Amino acid sequence: MPDDHRPYPRRFALVGIALAIGVLGCSSSQADSDAGWQTLEVTATSFTLAEEETKQGNIGLTAFGDQLEPGDKAIAVSRDLIRLGLTHGTKVRVEGLPGTYTVQDKMHRRWRNKIDILFKKRKRALEWGRKNIEIQYQVADAG
């Protein structure tokens, strides 16, 4: 039977399937890669949730009020970077590290152009040390 005599010609069915795959098949990582990202060179250091590296008495409590846990992919940013758009909750890709980190803390006012990356293990944090790296951060949608 030719396509013309079916209630819904094949070409419409294929378009519907393609739309469904496009909508349902879009993962959050694909959505992240499609969003606008800004690149910036910063100094990156590391920290752990050891009491001597965080607030005494409130281990893991950030300046934004978040409670960090070991294994969180979190960073703290210097306050000048907040003015550039690295605000609380911003997604950040860190050169040399897999995955996406989230801005969950802010640093003392004395620091400039700096991020501090949370590591689960002190040994890994010490291996990271201090580096000048590029980061990419997700730019908030202006629309």
Side-chain angles (χ1 to χ4, degrees), residues 19-37:
L19 285 173
I21 290 170
V23 171
L24 297 175
C26 183
S27 70
S28 63
S29 64
Q30 287 172 320
D32 283 349
S33 67
D34 293 339
W37 291 81

Side-chain angles (χ1 to χ4, degrees), residues 31-33 35-38 85 90-93 136-140:
D32 283 349
S33 67
W37 291 81
Q38 187 79 1
T90 300
K91 300 296 181 192
V92 180
R93 296 176 186 153
Q136 292 181 321
Y137 62 99
Q138 198 167 30
V139 179

Side-chain angles (χ1 to χ4, degrees), residues 53-70:
E53 297 181 55
T54 61
K55 282 187 181 121
Q56 269 70 42
N58 289 313
I59 296 172
L61 182 64
T62 74
F64 286 120
D66 294 342
Q67 182 61 52
L68 298 177
E69 299 294 332

Side-chain angles (χ1 to χ4, degrees), residues 51-97:
E51 189 167 8
E52 61 271 12
E53 297 181 55
T54 61
K55 282 187 181 121
Q56 269 70 42
N58 289 313
I59 296 172
L61 182 64
T62 74
F64 286 120
D66 294 342
Q67 182 61 52
L68 298 177
E69 299 294 332
D72 284 350
K73 292 189 128 201
I75 63 170
V77 296
S78 56
R79 293 169 191 241
D80 60 324
L81 298 181
I82 294 170
R83 289 188 291 275
L84 294 178
L86 281 134
T87 58
H88 182 252
T90 300
K91 300 296 181 192
V92 180
R93 296 176 186 153
V94 178
E95 178 184 356
L97 296 174

